[in-house]
Amino acid sequence: MNINFQELLQNKEYLDKVISVEPYHYKLLFELRNGYRIPLTITFSPLFPMQLPIVHINEKYHHIPDIPHVMRSGLVCFLEKEGVIWSDIPERTLDFVFDRVERVLISNSPQIEYHREFSYYFGTLENTNHVFSVYTPEDEPTEISVLAMGGKPFAFLTNDMKSRSLLGKLLNTNIKSRNLEKAYYIPLDNTYKGKVPQFDRFWSNEEITSLIRNHISEDTLLKITKFSMNKKRYFYMLRIPLLTGDQAIIGLWYEKVNHSLSKKIIPLIDDSVVDDFIVTPLFIFRNDDTTLIERGGGIKKPLNTLLVGCGSVGSDLLFMLARSGMKNFTLIDDDRMKIENSYRHFLGMNKSIESKPKVELLKEEFENRYPNVHIKTIENEVLDTIENGEIELNDFDLILVAIGDPNIERRLNKLILESSTPAIFTWVEAYGIGGHALVVNNGGNGCYECLIDSELRLYSSLAGKSEVPFIKNMNGCAGAFTPYGSIDSMETALLASRLVFRFLEDDIKGNPLVSWKGSSKTFEESGFKTSDRYNQPKDILGQDDYEYIDRSCNACSNLKDVAYYDQY
């Protein structure tokens, strides 16, 4: 789109004295609704109006006001772009831009607007040192550690081997104790209502001292004093309650410049030593577990999970749950990774060359990807594992079954019902016509055995009755396999994952069955027919189904009947 920007700007009544400085860059006067005229510069993108221009207050002709969303450089931050759609007509887009700029310039924003952008403003400080952190801020002041590299603080962590190991894995190095120094974490008790540091305007030593003394208890003050005695340099992490209700996490690094000063002097709480220390603000990149999970929209509750079956569905399920913040898994599978399954298994082709146990490969992969994930492995058949006492089902919070073998699943179902642990069975159907997830042992009737009718067919089946197995055979009996693709596996794992999330939120009543269905084209072209259940709408199949429950089931009929299915 060829745009005459000079003409575009001159045609706006609220703009005057438009002068081209260089291509795409103009200076002008912007008349606000209150009649005030303010000099601005505007720089367009060649992709305008798809990309918005950059607007500055022209500091040659106007002071930079101390208001939120106006940077010290004069940059006007007039829009948070995410989720906002504007016109693709240049004239309308320009009106949109100057309307948003005007809102910033004439706003009488209270201090809370600065607090809303605390982290951004703090990050603009000219002498800030950036620091990594795997320490999870808590409610009590405590001694922590800081990893120093090149004489500068690099990362905050807790004083234990677990935290050191996690940081070492993230940095791909061994964290040695000689590289660690002591630091102190201080959560302030009272809401901070003062100014937000930005650009060249950091708090003075007196302001920092006042901040600390006015926002902590006497007990915390004594703890700081005890920690800070006899230090050559000092590292602190502060948690500051803001007017917005949020908590800002920042760091402070004090270095002594007057080495004759008494070691009993503590700069954080003694404002009489202003010139004896250099204080450096530390911008903290939070990579603690709580922050990462919250940013990823993940699971915050601890859960000890048993995953039975580490094939295509099981490996995808593990991937989704580990990414969501679940950390403690025990994997059971007696199979080895084979190259013929590499296109629908999470581990892929390169992991299949050595034909190692799936559980071993998954443990290695996931503990490398997510160092705070802990995986125990059992390379054995699940029924043998349970019956020889190698695991106790009651030790787990949730059992996930992704083996896709109805005969083993029937026996496993009965063993689960004898325990106190809820379970979710999940499996995919041939040719990707659908997949299922079933909750078991979550209170009341309903279990895997209920699915099986007198003809030994599954209630859930989307495939019609067939005398021919739903398998393909490429290399004789050893090459027989159930045909479905990686997308079908992932769709089924996603279905089961959503049930896990609901379980954690106490949002599952009883023991529902949920299903998804895909295209039947290839399935029918192969000579097979779909079942009556396949004809149900997708949204119905995706809802909790209790109709399968057999009240005379020999596995779960002795359980208290909660009868959630009566409402359907």
Side-chain angles (χ1 to χ4, degrees):
M1 181 184 295
N2 293 321
I3 299 174
N4 186 329
F5 290 105
Q6 180 86 27
E7 183 178 330
L8 178 66
L9 293 166
Q10 288 177 334
N11 286 339
K12 297 300 180 183
E13 293 181 356
Y14 50 78
L15 301 180
D16 193 17
K17 296 186 177 179
V18 177
I19 299 173
S20 175
V21 179
E22 55 187 32
Y24 301 109
H25 183 61
Y26 299 83
K27 59 182 182 180
L28 48 83
L29 285 177
F30 175 36
E31 184 173 335
L32 308 179
R33 278 174 243 170
N34 58 12
Y36 189 82
R37 290 156 66 90
I38 186 166
L40 302 176
T41 65
I42 185 168
T43 305
F44 290 95
S45 162
L47 297 178
F48 180 85
M50 279 65 73
Q51 288 186 354
L52 298 181
I54 297 170
V55 178
H56 284 79
I57 295 174
N58 193 334
E59 60 182 338
K60 290 183 179 180
Y61 305 104
H62 197 284
H63 74 281
I64 306 301
D66 184 12
I67 58 176
H69 311 295
V70 175
M71 303 297 100
R72 182 169 166 268
S73 64
L75 174 67
V76 182
C77 299
F78 59 85
L79 182 67
E80 291 286 348
K81 295 181 182 179
E82 188 169 346
V84 178
I85 301 174
W86 53 84
S87 174
D88 59 356
I89 300 173
E91 291 77 12
R92 293 181 181 177
T93 302
L94 198 63
D95 290 337
F96 170 78
V97 167
F98 279 98
D99 175 69
R100 293 303 181 105
V101 169
E102 183 178 52
R103 293 186 195 185
V104 171
L105 296 179
I106 67 175
S107 65
N108 186 21
S109 299
Q111 191 70 10
I112 192 172
E113 288 302 316
Y114 283 105
H115 282 225
R116 204 179 306 281
E117 303 292 339
F118 186 102
S119 293
Y120 174 81
Y121 285 121
F122 192 85
T124 65
L125 287 167
E126 293 178 347
N127 63 334
T128 303
N129 197 72
H130 291 172
V131 179
F132 195 82
S133 176
V134 295
Y135 172 70
T136 301
E138 299 176 349
D139 294 331
E140 296 295 327
T142 186
E143 184 178 307
I144 58 176
S145 293
V146 62
L147 172 65
M149 298 179 70
K152 295 183 178 181
F154 181 80
F156 285 107
L157 62 158
T158 50
N159 294 328
D160 55 40
M161 286 303 299
K162 182 179 178 181
S163 184
R164 191 185 301 183
S165 174
L166 171 60
L167 183 60
K169 288 179 180 179
L170 291 172
L171 301 177
N172 195 27
T173 187
N174 290 324
I175 306 298
K176 298 179 180 178
S177 57
R178 68 171 179 267
N179 298 124
L180 296 176
E181 297 188 41
K182 292 182 178 181
Y184 206 70
Y185 164 70
I186 308 169
L188 304 190
D189 298 321
N190 307 318
T191 300
Y192 174 65
K193 300 178 181 179
K195 291 186 176 182
V196 176
Q198 54 182 299
F199 300 103
D200 60 351
R201 299 194 295 270
F202 185 46
W203 293 316
S204 66
N205 282 23
E206 295 97 325
E207 287 174 316
I208 295 173
T209 300
S210 176
L211 169 70
I212 298 300
R213 286 187 170 275
N214 293 332
H215 293 82
I216 61 172
S217 66
E218 285 297 322
D219 182 58
T220 300
L221 187 62
L222 289 174
K223 290 178 180 178
I224 294 172
T225 302
K226 183 178 180 181
F227 164 81
S228 302
M229 284 293 185
N230 302 318
K231 295 285 191 304
K232 292 182 180 179
R233 55 182 188 170
Y234 307 79
F235 300 101
Y236 299 100
M237 177 188 286
L238 307 183
R239 187 179 75 178
I240 305 174
L242 303 175
L243 290 169
T244 59
D246 297 320
Q247 308 270 1
I249 305 293
I250 68 167
L252 299 173
W253 167 26
Y254 286 89
E255 282 212 282
K256 189 182 293 185
V257 292
N258 179 3
H259 296 285
S260 64
L261 197 68
S262 169
K263 291 183 178 181
K264 295 183 179 181
I265 296 295
I266 301 168
L268 185 70
I269 55 178
D270 190 341
D271 59 8
S272 65
V273 290
V274 177
D275 298 324
D276 298 304
F277 291 87
I278 295 175
V279 58
T280 302
L282 304 177
F283 184 90
I284 297 176
F285 288 101
R286 291 185 59 186
N287 291 276
D288 57 90
D289 202 48
T290 300
T291 303
L292 294 177
I293 291 174
E294 181 178 352
R295 183 177 177 85
I299 295 168
K300 299 177 183 178
K301 294 182 180 178
L303 201 68
N304 186 22
T305 306
L306 173 64
L307 174 59
V308 181
C310 296
S312 53
V313 176
S315 63
D316 283 334
L317 183 56
L318 178 62
F319 174 63
M320 292 177 186
L321 297 180
R323 283 188 68 189
S324 299
M326 289 175 61
K327 302 180 187 63
N328 298 305
F329 297 91
T330 297
L331 310 183
I332 299 180
D333 195 301
D334 62 350
D335 198 12
R336 291 176 173 259
M337 186 65 192
K338 299 181 179 66
I339 195 167
E340 53 262 33
N341 288 325
S342 57
Y343 272 103
R344 64 184 191 187
H345 196 282
F346 174 81
L347 290 171
M349 190 177 293
N350 63 319
K351 297 288 186 178
S352 65
I353 300 299
E354 298 179 26
S355 191
K356 289 183 177 180
K358 291 177 181 176
V359 291
E360 179 184 323
L361 291 170
L362 286 170
K363 174 181 172 66
E364 177 184 310
E365 179 70 21
F366 280 90
E367 289 187 347
N368 282 335
R369 283 175 177 247
Y370 305 102
N372 52 2
V373 167
H374 305 286
I375 295 179
K376 297 178 182 178
T377 63
I378 299 174
E379 187 191 354
N380 194 8
E381 196 277 326
V382 62
L383 298 180
D384 284 345
T385 302
I386 296 171
E387 291 172 0
N388 68 21
E390 193 170 352
I391 63 166
E392 171 56 57
L393 297 183
N394 287 323
D395 292 341
F396 298 95
D397 301 307
L398 182 64
I399 300 168
L400 303 173
V401 182
I403 52 181
D405 185 327
N407 297 295
I408 296 177
E409 287 169 334
R410 292 180 75 178
R411 173 60 183 159
L412 185 54
N413 172 72
K414 293 178 181 179
L415 293 173
I416 289 170
L417 292 175
E418 293 172 2
S419 77
S420 60
T421 307
I424 296 174
F425 287 77
T426 186
W427 64 100
V428 63
E429 290 204 39
Y431 293 87
I433 61 170
H436 314 276
L438 172 71
V439 181
V440 167
N441 209 27
N442 191 45
N445 294 145
C447 71
Y448 190 87
E449 190 69 25
C450 289
L451 293 174
I452 303 171
D453 64 20
S454 58
E455 296 183 352
L456 301 180
R457 283 180 46 76
L458 291 176
Y459 164 92
S460 57
S461 181
L462 302 176
K465 186 175 181 180
S466 173
E467 300 299 327
V468 180
F470 304 122
I471 62 173
K472 283 189 175 182
N473 195 315
M474 289 186 174
N475 297 304
C477 293
F481 66 97
T482 301
Y484 60 86
S486 61
I487 293 177
D488 307 318
S489 167
M490 288 188 283
E491 187 77 35
T492 304
L494 179 61
L495 187 77
S497 295
R498 293 197 183 280
L499 275 184
V500 173
F501 300 152
R502 289 178 57 194
F503 170 78
L504 286 167
E505 295 171 356
D506 298 320
D507 187 35
I508 299 178
K509 296 180 178 180
N511 303 295
L513 167 73
V514 291
S515 305
W516 68 272
K517 75 172 181 178
S519 171
S520 63
K521 185 175 184 294
T522 305
F523 181 74
E524 291 173 335
E525 287 176 349
S526 299
F528 301 112
K529 294 182 179 179
T530 57
S531 68
D532 290 340
R533 190 165 186 265
Y534 181 86
N535 295 326
Q536 292 186 18
K538 290 182 178 181
D539 59 336
I540 298 298
L541 289 170
Q543 294 177 12
D544 291 354
D545 183 352
Y546 301 94
E547 293 293 331
Y548 77 94
I549 296 176
D550 179 3
R551 301 191 191 192
S552 62
C553 170
N554 61 18
C556 69
S557 59
N558 61 330
L559 300 175
K560 185 177 179 181
D561 186 0
V562 184
Y564 295 108
Y565 46 84
D566 286 344
Q567 58 189 296
Y568 287 86

